[in-house]
Amino acid sequence: MSDNKDKMSQAERLVKLRRDKGFTAEQLAQAMTAAGAKVSRGAISNWERGTNGIVSSKLPTLASILGCSEGYLLRGDIQTDDKAPDAASSDIRATLSDNQAPHQPLSHSQEKAVSKETNSTVQSPDQQISAKNKITTGSNTMTSLKKSTKLQNVCYDIRGPLLQTATKMEAEGQHILKLNIGNPAPFGLSAPHEILRDVAMNLPEATGYSDSQGIFSARKAVLQYYQSKGLLSAVDVRDVYLGNGVSELIVMTMQALMNDGDEVLIPMPDYPLWTAATNLAGGTAVHYRCNEEDNWHPDIEDIKSKITSKTKGIVVINPNNPTGALYSDEVLEQIIEVAIEHDLVIMADEIYDRVLYDSMTHTPMSTLTDEVLILSYNGLSKSHRVAGFRAGWLMVSGKKQNASDFIEGLDMLASMRLCSNVPGQYAIQTAMGGHQSMKELTSEKGRLYKQREMAVSRLNAIKGISCTMPQGAFYCFPKMDPAIYPIEDDMQFMMELLLEEKVLMVQGSGFNWDAPDHFRVVFLPNLHDLEDAMDRLDRFFAKKRQQFGTA
């Protein structure tokens, strides 16, 4: 209990110091990274919420930039004048505050200034394990076991503090309406019977390891799926890797691709695993903006402005999670042109390609070019409601001739994990060639279509809430008007919703959005439960307008 209180007092001091210095969390993360103490905005947000204590290896740089002592940050010790920020720190704060949008990187001059300011205080890794991390028991001193510093920039709020609080509330007997995670099964969206039957029939063949890339029949079915969509380049089953869901394959890709300091362009908002996997591999996630005014399409000019000599690739999530946007061929081709010009790898996350509304069609990026290396990710979790089977795949296509060493790395990582879940692999051939029942759910008479219509119409009816109509997936990403809901901490706002109305959702910053003015709604619950959730949202936002004086 005392440990949690210490963390919260650290959190409160950190928030106050950052705000007093005129930094946003994003700008503080940029300043620390430029000073040699790499940290993400998500990590700082976790410190400020008290979710994690401040990482000791980052403490000297953090204290120096904020102009305080380490003791003050950790314990609230009375500050002395010798830690007052110098002129360089003031100049940086002024430049960031006046001229720099939160998502923009530090300029070269700002990086030099911050580095100069903090150079004398940054310690070596050996020095960073100090008495603060040690526990004294009698005459013995033991170093407390900390999580790896590789996790300092990793954040996955979809299963973060909000879900943990909801789980505790459920254990106490409270009923929570969950609009937080895209898991179809708990909402009565069952898997096709023929898939379950075929997996069951093949269980005797699935008790041993398979080929490290997966069973031949499943990989062949994946290949034929893309060929039927118009795949341009020559691809064979050796270019298909089966994985424990797309999640495992994303992590494998980043481990095979990234060197320390390499950059990957990732959409903002994003599915946060992409950012987490990039950071975990030692890379840097650079977020390009998607425009809400343009139905959440990627901002091509912003993509171009973010490319540096360190950029290795670009992630395209289409249909998008969390916005539900479906990208036009024109936008996809513009992204391809940028990738060709700068020799970037395209990572196309297309897991929702069969969850489409309004008779829309999806174009796989692998069918549009063979002039760049394209990594296509897909699986059965959403389209066939078998998330627990962990049946996903990665296909390599396009400009493979210059990627043999990278592909060798994928082969190595695939072999190291031996193989993916073999029973789940036996679902793939049946799913890819059989009846596509998702179409019945997304048609005008279908359950998902009706739930989408109701959720978006009810959200747009709330004063100060606006929501674009998703054309794919089963999410929408509403905006809260800052003039009506002047929120500073969107995670705390969603926590209040959970505690007061027992509705669980994820805040926009959990998807690496750079302002506390959005949240994601999962519209998988049936119409009755979804209507109940919307009634509670309506009541909650009305109460908040009264509190903010904007009713």
Side-chain angles (χ1 to χ4, degrees):
M1 182 67 71
S2 61
D3 185 51
N4 287 336
K5 288 182 66 177
D6 287 344
K7 288 182 179 178
M8 286 308 299
S9 62
Q10 288 177 22
E12 292 165 354
R13 287 190 293 274
L14 177 56
V15 170
K16 184 177 187 305
L17 284 166
R18 174 178 61 75
R19 290 175 179 169
D20 288 348
K21 300 299 185 260
F23 285 121
T24 65
E26 178 76 14
Q27 290 165 346
L28 179 56
Q30 292 169 358
M32 290 185 65
T33 298
K38 182 179 176 183
V39 70
S40 68
R41 179 195 56 76
I44 288 177
S45 295
N46 282 338
W47 297 345
E48 293 187 348
R49 295 168 189 158
T51 306
N52 296 325
I54 299 169
V55 176
S56 60
S57 62
K58 310 298 177 184
L59 187 61
T61 305
L62 179 62
S64 181
I65 289 175
L66 294 178
C68 67
S69 68
E70 297 173 32
Y72 177 74
L73 267 177
L74 283 178
R75 300 176 297 275
D77 296 349
I78 297 175
Q79 294 197 76
T80 57
D81 293 338
D82 61 351
K83 285 288 184 179
D86 61 16
S89 176
S90 301
D91 290 344
I92 294 165
R93 290 197 307 277
T95 303
L96 285 169
S97 180
D98 296 340
N99 302 323
Q100 190 167 304
H103 64 276
Q104 290 179 323
L106 292 170
S107 68
H108 180 63
S109 60
Q110 290 167 352
E111 291 181 2
K112 288 179 64 178
V114 176
S115 297
K116 179 180 178 182
E117 176 194 358
T118 61
N119 185 56
S120 61
T121 61
V122 177
Q123 298 174 324
S124 69
D126 290 339
Q127 293 172 320
Q128 290 162 357
I129 300 177
S130 66
K132 294 186 290 295
N133 291 335
K134 295 187 177 181
I135 302 171
T136 301
T137 56
S139 60
N140 297 323
T141 300
M142 301 182 299
T143 301
S144 60
L145 187 62
K146 302 289 186 180
K147 65 177 176 290
S148 167
T149 56
K150 290 181 291 187
L151 294 172
Q152 66 201 11
N153 299 323
V154 176
C155 184
Y156 191 77
D157 279 350
I158 293 176
R159 292 180 180 264
L162 287 164
L163 179 60
Q164 294 164 13
T165 301
T167 301
K168 181 180 178 182
M169 293 169 68
E170 285 183 319
E172 296 169 350
Q174 302 183 59
H175 176 63
I176 308 298
L177 288 174
K178 293 182 177 178
L179 281 67
N180 67 308
I181 195 165
N183 185 14
F187 301 102
L189 292 160
S190 56
H193 178 72
E194 63 174 337
I195 292 180
L196 302 181
R197 182 192 62 206
D198 283 9
V199 169
M201 288 179 61
N202 282 286
L203 281 177
E205 307 299 322
T207 57
Y209 298 130
S210 72
D211 181 282
S212 62
Q213 289 185 227
I215 60 176
F216 179 87
S217 60
R219 287 188 286 153
K220 188 69 173 178
V222 169
L223 176 60
Q224 291 172 338
Y225 175 73
Y226 287 99
Q227 289 173 336
S228 72
K229 296 279 188 177
L231 179 66
L232 294 180
S233 58
V235 178
D236 62 33
V237 292
R238 290 174 296 180
D239 296 316
V240 178
Y241 299 78
L242 304 187
N244 292 302
V246 167
S247 300
E248 180 188 47
L249 295 164
I250 290 172
V251 174
M252 279 175 54
T253 298
M254 292 308 179
Q255 294 292 336
L257 181 67
M258 306 298 289
N259 291 315
D260 289 352
D262 285 346
E263 297 174 355
V264 171
L265 297 172
I266 297 174
M268 179 175 65
D270 71 342
Y271 176 56
L273 180 64
W274 280 105
T275 295
T278 300
N279 291 334
L280 186 61
T284 300
V286 178
H287 295 99
Y288 64 85
R289 183 167 292 276
C290 295
N291 288 329
E292 189 169 13
E293 297 77 12
D294 188 26
N295 206 24
W296 289 110
H297 274 58
D299 184 330
I300 303 300
E301 293 307 312
D302 192 52
I303 290 174
K304 294 177 181 178
S305 72
K306 301 289 176 62
I307 294 173
T308 71
S309 60
K310 297 180 180 179
T311 308
K312 296 290 285 289
I314 179 169
V315 174
V316 180
I317 306 174
N318 177 42
N320 185 264
N321 175 10
T323 66
L326 178 68
Y327 300 160
S328 67
D329 286 5
E330 179 184 2
V331 167
L332 297 177
E333 287 166 351
Q334 288 177 324
I335 294 173
I336 288 170
E337 289 176 7
V338 173
I340 292 173
E341 179 182 354
H342 296 278
D343 195 23
L344 303 180
V345 179
I346 292 177
M347 288 159 272
D349 183 343
E350 299 170 337
I351 190 74
Y352 297 98
D353 71 331
R354 283 154 289 179
V355 188
L356 303 172
Y357 307 92
D358 308 319
S359 300
M360 301 299 292
T361 58
H362 173 268
T363 302
M365 294 195 79
S366 62
T367 66
L368 293 176
T369 185
D370 57 5
E371 296 183 57
V372 294
L373 184 70
I374 296 185
L375 309 177
S376 300
Y377 303 81
N378 212 322
L380 307 183
S381 293
K382 316 298 183 178
S383 59
H384 292 81
R385 287 86 69 200
V386 289
F389 283 19
R390 311 311 299 130
W393 61 81
L394 158 65
M395 186 186 72
V396 182
S397 65
K399 196 175 178 181
K400 296 182 294 181
Q401 59 271 25
N402 296 331
S404 58
D405 198 56
F406 164 71
I407 293 171
E408 182 180 324
L410 283 180
D411 292 341
M412 183 185 304
L413 292 170
S415 297
M416 286 171 62
R417 53 92 204 240
L418 299 179
C419 66
S420 66
N421 170 38
V422 181
Q425 294 183 40
Y426 279 101
I428 293 175
Q429 184 177 19
T430 301
M432 301 308 288
H435 174 65
Q436 301 299 306
S437 57
M438 180 55 71
K439 292 181 180 178
E440 298 164 7
L441 293 168
T442 58
S443 68
E444 288 190 16
K445 295 182 179 180
R447 172 182 161 177
L448 286 177
Y449 181 93
K450 293 176 181 178
Q451 290 164 196
R452 177 192 70 148
E453 296 294 303
M454 191 268 280
V456 173
S457 62
R458 286 292 306 270
L459 288 165
N460 281 322
I462 299 174
K463 181 179 178 181
I465 303 294
S466 58
C467 184
T468 62
M469 181 65 76
Q471 295 179 314
F474 23 73
Y475 315 106
C476 54
F477 200 58
K479 179 178 182 178
M480 300 176 285
D481 185 343
I484 297 176
Y485 306 102
I487 300 160
E488 293 187 354
D489 187 335
D490 56 351
M491 196 282 284
Q492 182 59 37
F493 192 73
M494 290 294 105
M495 185 69 78
E496 292 171 12
L497 170 66
L498 171 61
L499 296 173
E500 295 176 22
E501 294 293 347
K502 299 178 176 58
V503 176
L504 175 62
M505 296 188 299
V506 181
Q507 74 280 6
S509 62
F511 302 94
N512 290 295
W513 186 246
D514 63 352
D517 58 2
H518 282 77
F519 57 95
R520 187 184 73 168
V521 175
V522 178
F523 52 83
L524 283 172
N526 62 54
L527 283 171
H528 178 270
D529 289 342
L530 200 56
E531 191 86 57
D532 186 8
M534 292 300 144
D535 289 344
R536 299 185 193 195
L537 280 179
D538 203 351
R539 184 167 60 233
F540 177 76
F541 279 107
K543 185 192 304 181
K544 289 302 176 183
R545 291 194 300 273
Q546 291 286 346
Q547 292 179 6
F548 293 135
T550 57

